[in-house]
Amino acid sequence: MSGDGEWRQELDERQHEDVRGLLLAVREADGRPEVAPEGPLPGEFDGGEHLVACVEGEVVGYAHLDTTGDSFGHQVAELFVHPAHRDRGYGAKLLQALDERAAVGFRVWAHGDHPAARRLALKAGLERKRELLILHALVEGADWPEPVLRDGVSLRTFVPGQDEDAVARVNARAFDWHPEQGALTADDIRADERRPWFDADGFFLAVLEGAAAGSPNDTVIGFHWTKVHEPTPGRFDGERVGEVYVVGVDPGAQGGGLGRALTLAGLRHLANLGLRQIILYVEGDNAPALAVYTKLGFTRHETDVQYGR
Protein backbone atom coordinates (compact mmCIF):
# COMPACT_ATOMS: atom_id res chain seq x y z
CA MET A 1 0.00 0.00 0.00
CA SER A 2 1.12 3.53 -0.64
CA GLY A 3 -0.26 6.99 -1.26
CA ASP A 4 -1.90 8.29 1.94
CA GLY A 5 -0.72 5.26 3.91
CA GLU A 6 0.53 7.17 6.94
CA TRP A 7 -1.12 8.02 10.24
CA ARG A 8 -2.64 11.49 10.47
CA GLN A 9 -4.33 13.38 13.27
CA GLU A 10 -6.63 15.15 10.85
CA LEU A 11 -8.07 14.37 7.43
CA ASP A 12 -7.93 17.07 4.80
CA GLU A 13 -11.01 17.77 2.68
CA ARG A 14 -10.05 15.29 -0.05
CA GLN A 15 -9.20 12.52 2.41
CA HIS A 16 -12.44 13.19 4.30
CA GLU A 17 -14.45 12.56 1.15
CA ASP A 18 -12.29 9.56 0.20
CA VAL A 19 -13.04 8.00 3.59
CA ARG A 20 -16.74 8.82 3.25
CA GLY A 21 -16.82 7.09 -0.15
CA LEU A 22 -15.16 3.99 1.28
CA LEU A 23 -17.50 3.88 4.29
CA LEU A 24 -20.55 4.29 2.05
CA ALA A 25 -19.35 1.35 -0.06
CA VAL A 26 -18.84 -0.73 3.09
CA ARG A 27 -22.31 0.24 4.29
CA GLU A 28 -23.79 -0.86 0.97
CA ALA A 29 -22.13 -4.27 1.33
CA ASP A 30 -22.37 -4.87 5.08
CA GLY A 31 -25.17 -2.60 6.34
CA ARG A 32 -22.76 -0.60 8.49
CA PRO A 33 -21.32 1.82 9.51
CA GLU A 34 -24.01 4.47 9.54
CA VAL A 35 -22.56 7.24 7.41
CA ALA A 36 -24.39 10.01 5.57
CA PRO A 37 -23.68 11.04 1.97
CA GLU A 38 -22.74 14.50 3.25
CA GLY A 39 -21.92 16.32 6.48
CA PRO A 40 -19.64 15.11 9.28
CA LEU A 41 -18.53 11.52 9.57
CA PRO A 42 -20.05 9.48 12.42
CA GLY A 43 -18.91 10.54 15.88
CA GLU A 44 -16.83 7.42 16.44
CA PHE A 45 -14.38 8.73 13.85
CA ASP A 46 -13.86 12.08 15.56
CA GLY A 47 -10.36 12.87 16.80
CA GLY A 48 -7.74 10.19 17.27
CA GLU A 49 -5.58 9.13 14.34
CA HIS A 50 -6.48 8.12 10.81
CA LEU A 51 -4.83 5.86 8.25
CA VAL A 52 -6.03 6.02 4.63
CA ALA A 53 -4.60 3.19 2.53
CA CYS A 54 -4.27 3.70 -1.23
CA VAL A 55 -3.07 1.51 -4.09
CA GLU A 56 -2.26 3.25 -7.35
CA GLY A 57 -4.24 6.28 -6.23
CA GLU A 58 -7.36 4.32 -5.26
CA VAL A 59 -8.55 4.14 -1.65
CA VAL A 60 -8.66 0.49 -0.58
CA GLY A 61 -8.83 0.73 3.21
CA TYR A 62 -9.19 2.96 6.25
CA ALA A 63 -8.33 2.58 9.92
CA HIS A 64 -9.22 4.86 12.82
CA LEU A 65 -7.54 4.72 16.23
CA ASP A 66 -9.19 6.34 19.23
CA THR A 67 -6.03 7.33 21.09
CA THR A 68 -7.95 8.70 24.08
CA GLY A 69 -9.14 5.20 24.85
CA ASP A 70 -12.16 3.83 26.64
CA SER A 71 -12.90 4.15 30.36
CA PHE A 72 -10.44 1.35 31.12
CA GLY A 73 -7.56 2.81 29.12
CA HIS A 74 -7.86 0.59 26.04
CA GLN A 75 -7.26 2.42 22.78
CA VAL A 76 -10.05 1.36 20.42
CA ALA A 77 -9.70 0.89 16.67
CA GLU A 78 -11.91 0.33 13.65
CA LEU A 79 -10.71 -0.77 10.23
CA PHE A 80 -12.47 -1.17 6.91
CA VAL A 81 -11.51 -2.60 3.52
CA HIS A 82 -13.36 -1.48 0.41
CA PRO A 83 -15.63 -4.34 -0.77
CA ALA A 84 -14.04 -4.22 -4.25
CA HIS A 85 -10.59 -4.81 -2.76
CA ARG A 86 -11.19 -7.55 -0.21
CA ASP A 87 -9.34 -10.89 -0.03
CA ARG A 88 -6.09 -9.28 -1.18
CA GLY A 89 -4.35 -8.96 2.18
CA TYR A 90 -5.17 -5.30 2.78
CA GLY A 91 -7.05 -6.04 6.00
CA ALA A 92 -4.02 -7.86 7.41
CA LYS A 93 -1.77 -4.92 6.49
CA LEU A 94 -4.11 -2.44 8.14
CA LEU A 95 -4.27 -4.57 11.27
CA GLN A 96 -0.47 -4.82 11.32
CA ALA A 97 -0.24 -1.04 11.03
CA LEU A 98 -2.67 -0.70 13.94
CA ASP A 99 -0.69 -3.18 15.99
CA GLU A 100 2.47 -1.19 15.43
CA ARG A 101 0.81 2.16 16.18
CA ALA A 102 -1.54 1.45 19.08
CA ALA A 103 -0.66 1.17 22.73
CA VAL A 104 -0.38 -2.24 24.38
CA GLY A 105 -3.84 -3.58 25.19
CA PHE A 106 -5.68 -1.93 22.29
CA ARG A 107 -9.00 -3.31 21.10
CA VAL A 108 -10.41 -3.50 17.58
CA TRP A 109 -14.08 -3.78 16.61
CA ALA A 110 -15.55 -6.38 14.27
CA HIS A 111 -19.11 -5.26 13.55
CA GLY A 112 -21.57 -8.02 12.85
CA ASP A 113 -19.04 -10.65 13.93
CA HIS A 114 -17.99 -10.91 10.28
CA PRO A 115 -16.30 -14.30 9.49
CA ALA A 116 -13.48 -12.57 7.58
CA ALA A 117 -12.75 -10.36 10.60
CA ARG A 118 -12.77 -13.43 12.82
CA ARG A 119 -10.19 -15.15 10.62
CA LEU A 120 -8.06 -12.01 10.48
CA ALA A 121 -8.07 -11.63 14.26
CA LEU A 122 -7.18 -15.29 14.76
CA LYS A 123 -4.19 -15.02 12.41
CA ALA A 124 -3.01 -11.94 14.30
CA GLY A 125 -3.24 -13.73 17.65
CA LEU A 126 -6.14 -11.64 18.94
CA GLU A 127 -8.86 -13.01 21.22
CA ARG A 128 -12.54 -12.16 21.68
CA LYS A 129 -12.57 -9.75 24.61
CA ARG A 130 -16.08 -8.35 24.49
CA GLU A 131 -19.43 -9.02 22.85
CA LEU A 132 -21.96 -6.25 22.28
CA LEU A 133 -25.37 -7.63 21.33
CA ILE A 134 -27.87 -5.84 19.11
CA LEU A 135 -31.38 -6.77 20.20
CA HIS A 136 -34.45 -6.20 18.04
CA ALA A 137 -38.20 -5.92 18.59
CA LEU A 138 -41.21 -5.35 16.34
CA VAL A 139 -43.62 -2.65 17.45
CA GLU A 140 -46.66 -4.47 16.10
CA GLY A 141 -48.06 -6.75 18.77
CA ALA A 142 -45.79 -5.37 21.50
CA ASP A 143 -47.33 -4.89 24.94
CA TRP A 144 -45.70 -1.74 26.33
CA PRO A 145 -47.99 -0.26 28.99
CA GLU A 146 -47.82 3.28 30.31
CA PRO A 147 -44.89 3.75 32.71
CA VAL A 148 -45.67 3.74 36.41
CA LEU A 149 -43.53 5.99 38.60
CA ARG A 150 -43.14 5.87 42.33
CA ASP A 151 -44.36 8.78 44.46
CA GLY A 152 -42.24 11.88 44.26
CA VAL A 153 -40.85 11.15 40.78
CA SER A 154 -42.02 12.52 37.46
CA LEU A 155 -40.92 12.44 33.82
CA ARG A 156 -40.07 15.37 31.59
CA THR A 157 -38.04 15.82 28.42
CA PHE A 158 -34.50 17.12 28.10
CA VAL A 159 -33.93 20.87 27.87
CA PRO A 160 -30.89 21.76 25.72
CA GLY A 161 -28.62 24.26 27.39
CA GLN A 162 -29.88 23.28 30.83
CA ASP A 163 -29.65 19.54 31.48
CA GLU A 164 -26.28 18.48 30.02
CA ASP A 165 -24.35 18.57 33.29
CA ALA A 166 -27.08 16.79 35.25
CA VAL A 167 -27.34 13.97 32.70
CA ALA A 168 -23.55 13.60 32.55
CA ARG A 169 -23.41 13.27 36.36
CA VAL A 170 -26.09 10.56 36.44
CA ASN A 171 -24.47 8.81 33.50
CA ALA A 172 -21.05 8.72 35.19
CA ARG A 173 -22.55 7.10 38.29
CA ALA A 174 -24.75 4.69 36.35
CA PHE A 175 -22.05 3.54 33.93
CA ASP A 176 -18.79 3.65 35.91
CA TRP A 177 -18.32 0.02 34.79
CA HIS A 178 -18.85 0.62 31.05
CA PRO A 179 -15.91 1.05 28.64
CA GLU A 180 -17.47 3.79 26.50
CA GLN A 181 -20.64 5.08 28.09
CA GLY A 182 -18.99 5.89 31.41
CA ALA A 183 -16.77 8.47 29.71
CA LEU A 184 -19.67 10.58 28.37
CA THR A 185 -19.25 14.28 29.20
CA ALA A 186 -21.56 17.27 29.06
CA ASP A 187 -19.56 18.49 26.06
CA ASP A 188 -20.20 15.16 24.32
CA ILE A 189 -23.93 15.65 24.85
CA ARG A 190 -23.72 19.19 23.45
CA ALA A 191 -21.89 17.84 20.40
CA ASP A 192 -24.63 15.26 19.84
CA GLU A 193 -27.24 18.01 20.04
CA ARG A 194 -25.77 19.32 16.77
CA ARG A 195 -26.15 15.99 14.98
CA PRO A 196 -29.11 15.54 12.61
CA TRP A 197 -30.61 12.67 14.60
CA PHE A 198 -30.85 14.51 17.93
CA ASP A 199 -34.40 15.03 19.21
CA ALA A 200 -34.98 16.49 22.66
CA ASP A 201 -38.60 15.24 22.56
CA GLY A 202 -37.23 11.68 22.63
CA PHE A 203 -34.87 12.31 25.56
CA PHE A 204 -36.74 11.51 28.80
CA LEU A 205 -35.58 12.50 32.28
CA ALA A 206 -36.79 11.13 35.61
CA VAL A 207 -36.71 13.92 38.20
CA LEU A 208 -37.53 14.29 41.84
CA GLU A 209 -40.59 16.47 42.28
CA GLY A 210 -40.51 19.64 44.34
CA ALA A 211 -39.72 22.16 41.62
CA ALA A 212 -41.64 23.47 38.65
CA ALA A 213 -41.73 21.15 35.65
CA GLY A 214 -38.64 21.71 33.55
CA SER A 215 -37.07 23.88 36.22
CA PRO A 216 -33.27 23.82 36.49
CA ASN A 217 -33.83 23.26 40.21
CA ASP A 218 -35.29 19.77 39.86
CA THR A 219 -33.00 16.77 40.45
CA VAL A 220 -32.35 14.34 37.61
CA ILE A 221 -32.11 10.74 38.83
CA GLY A 222 -32.42 8.83 35.55
CA PHE A 223 -32.84 9.20 31.82
CA HIS A 224 -33.76 7.40 28.61
CA TRP A 225 -32.21 8.83 25.47
CA THR A 226 -33.83 7.49 22.30
CA LYS A 227 -32.56 7.74 18.75
CA VAL A 228 -34.00 7.27 15.26
CA HIS A 229 -31.80 5.83 12.51
CA GLU A 230 -32.44 6.71 8.89
CA PRO A 231 -32.86 3.78 6.44
CA THR A 232 -29.72 1.76 5.79
CA PRO A 233 -29.46 -0.51 2.73
CA GLY A 234 -29.51 -4.16 3.69
CA ARG A 235 -30.61 -3.63 7.29
CA PHE A 236 -34.07 -3.72 8.88
CA ASP A 237 -35.89 -3.93 5.54
CA GLY A 238 -34.51 -0.54 4.54
CA GLU A 239 -36.75 1.22 7.07
CA ARG A 240 -36.18 3.90 9.67
CA VAL A 241 -35.59 2.20 13.00
CA GLY A 242 -35.80 3.45 16.58
CA GLU A 243 -33.19 2.77 19.22
CA VAL A 244 -33.20 2.53 22.99
CA TYR A 245 -29.97 4.53 22.88
CA VAL A 246 -29.12 4.89 26.59
CA VAL A 247 -31.08 4.15 29.76
CA GLY A 248 -29.30 5.28 32.90
CA VAL A 249 -30.45 5.37 36.52
CA ASP A 250 -28.49 6.87 39.39
CA PRO A 251 -27.44 3.99 41.67
CA GLY A 252 -28.94 5.83 44.64
CA ALA A 253 -32.35 5.81 42.92
CA GLN A 254 -32.39 2.22 41.70
CA GLY A 255 -35.22 -0.04 42.71
CA GLY A 256 -38.91 0.58 42.44
CA GLY A 257 -39.00 0.01 38.68
CA LEU A 258 -37.53 3.36 37.59
CA GLY A 259 -35.42 1.81 34.82
CA ARG A 260 -38.43 -0.07 33.47
CA ALA A 261 -40.59 3.07 33.57
CA LEU A 262 -38.00 5.07 31.66
CA THR A 263 -37.61 2.28 29.11
CA LEU A 264 -41.36 2.09 28.56
CA ALA A 265 -41.61 5.86 28.11
CA GLY A 266 -39.02 5.73 25.33
CA LEU A 267 -40.50 2.66 23.66
CA ARG A 268 -43.96 4.20 23.55
CA HIS A 269 -42.52 7.42 22.14
CA LEU A 270 -40.73 5.55 19.34
CA ALA A 271 -43.86 3.54 18.58
CA ASN A 272 -45.91 6.73 18.38
CA LEU A 273 -43.52 8.03 15.72
CA GLY A 274 -44.83 5.29 13.46
CA LEU A 275 -41.66 3.19 13.54
CA ARG A 276 -42.12 -0.55 13.05
CA GLN A 277 -38.82 -1.74 14.52
CA ILE A 278 -36.72 -0.85 17.56
CA ILE A 279 -33.20 -1.93 18.45
CA LEU A 280 -30.87 -1.59 21.39
CA TYR A 281 -27.30 -2.49 22.31
CA VAL A 282 -26.47 -4.46 25.45
CA GLU A 283 -23.32 -6.12 26.75
CA GLY A 284 -23.33 -9.86 26.13
CA ASP A 285 -22.56 -10.64 29.79
CA ASN A 286 -25.21 -8.30 31.26
CA ALA A 287 -27.66 -11.02 32.26
CA PRO A 288 -30.05 -8.79 34.28
CA ALA A 289 -30.48 -6.33 31.38
CA LEU A 290 -30.93 -9.17 28.90
CA ALA A 291 -33.69 -10.62 31.09
CA VAL A 292 -35.51 -7.27 31.24
CA TYR A 293 -35.33 -6.68 27.49
CA THR A 294 -36.36 -10.25 26.69
CA LYS A 295 -39.54 -9.73 28.73
CA LEU A 296 -40.20 -6.59 26.67
CA GLY A 297 -40.09 -8.63 23.46
CA PHE A 298 -36.51 -8.10 22.30
CA THR A 299 -34.53 -10.90 20.67
CA ARG A 300 -30.89 -11.20 19.61
CA HIS A 301 -30.30 -9.83 16.11
CA GLU A 302 -26.58 -9.16 15.62
CA THR A 303 -23.30 -9.25 17.55
CA ASP A 304 -20.41 -6.81 17.55
CA VAL A 305 -17.10 -8.14 18.85
CA GLN A 306 -14.00 -6.47 20.26
CA TYR A 307 -10.75 -8.34 19.75
CA GLY A 308 -7.55 -7.79 21.69
CA ARG A 309 -4.62 -9.44 23.36
Side-chain angles (χ1 to χ4, degrees):
M1 292 186 292
S2 58
D4 295 327
E6 61 183 46
W7 288 99
R8 301 169 184 267
Q9 292 188 331
E10 292 185 11
L11 297 173
D12 62 29
E13 185 175 350
R14 178 183 63 81
Q15 293 162 342
H16 187 275
E17 292 311 305
D18 284 345
V19 169
R20 182 196 306 281
L22 181 144
L23 295 178
L24 285 170
V26 171
R27 187 190 74 166
E28 186 70 25
D30 302 336
R32 282 192 283 173
E34 290 189 29
V35 56
E38 56 186 27
L41 295 177
E44 58 264 33
F45 304 118
D46 289 347
E49 296 186 350
H50 310 262
L51 177 64
V52 183
C54 296
V55 173
E56 298 180 352
E58 188 171 0
V59 177
V60 300
Y62 167 67
H64 176 262
L65 178 63
D66 178 1
T67 51
T68 301
D70 62 23
S71 298
F72 301 114
H74 301 294
Q75 292 187 346
V76 180
E78 306 226 22
L79 67 84
F80 304 89
V81 176
H82 194 290
H85 297 280
R86 291 176 177 173
D87 299 320
R88 302 181 189 179
Y90 298 139
K93 291 181 178 180
L94 283 168
L95 185 55
Q96 181 182 351
L98 274 172
D99 205 1
E100 294 170 352
R101 187 71 171 183
V104 173
F106 82 97
R107 303 287 176 85
V108 59
W109 279 111
H111 297 294
D113 197 12
H114 200 286
R118 202 179 311 148
R119 292 192 297 270
L120 186 61
L122 182 63
K123 288 181 180 179
L126 303 180
E127 302 173 345
R128 294 170 79 96
K129 293 293 186 181
R130 178 184 171 198
E131 289 189 347
L132 185 62
L133 307 183
I134 297 93
L135 305 187
H136 173 268
L138 292 173
V139 172
E140 184 178 2
D143 181 19
W144 295 328
E146 286 193 34
V148 177
L149 297 162
R150 63 176 182 261
D151 290 342
V153 177
S154 61
L155 290 183
R156 66 172 176 85
T157 52
F158 180 88
V159 179
Q162 171 186 292
D163 292 322
E164 292 85 355
D165 289 331
V167 169
R169 283 194 295 270
V170 171
N171 181 87
R173 287 170 55 80
F175 293 101
D176 60 355
W177 54 273
H178 196 279
E180 291 95 27
Q181 190 60 36
L184 182 77
T185 67
D187 284 340
D188 293 331
I189 298 172
R190 294 185 187 99
D192 281 340
E193 289 171 26
R194 296 190 290 271
R195 299 192 183 278
W197 55 262
F198 181 81
D199 179 13
D201 291 337
F203 197 156
F204 298 91
L205 307 184
V207 299
L208 295 178
E209 295 175 349
S215 164
N217 297 317
D218 60 16
T219 301
V220 178
I221 57 173
F223 64 93
H224 181 180
W225 190 351
T226 70
K227 185 175 182 180
V228 176
H229 299 261
E230 293 305 311
T232 301
R235 296 190 82 201
F236 308 115
D237 304 319
E239 299 179 357
R240 296 170 76 227
V241 61
E243 181 184 349
V244 177
Y245 187 39
V246 192
V247 178
V249 176
D250 191 297
Q254 288 179 349
L258 183 57
R260 175 180 169 82
L262 282 162
T263 302
L264 287 171
L267 289 173
R268 289 168 63 88
H269 165 78
L270 293 171
N272 287 335
L273 293 178
L275 301 169
R276 296 195 321 116
Q277 304 179 69
I278 298 176
I279 62 170
L280 61 86
Y281 290 75
V282 63
E283 297 296 325
D285 58 359
N286 191 343
L290 284 167
V292 169
Y293 292 129
T294 298
K295 289 180 181 178
L296 290 171
F298 284 85
T299 58
R300 183 166 171 165
H301 185 72
E302 295 176 358
T303 304
D304 288 347
V305 180
Q306 268 192 0
Y307 288 94
R309 288 198 175 87

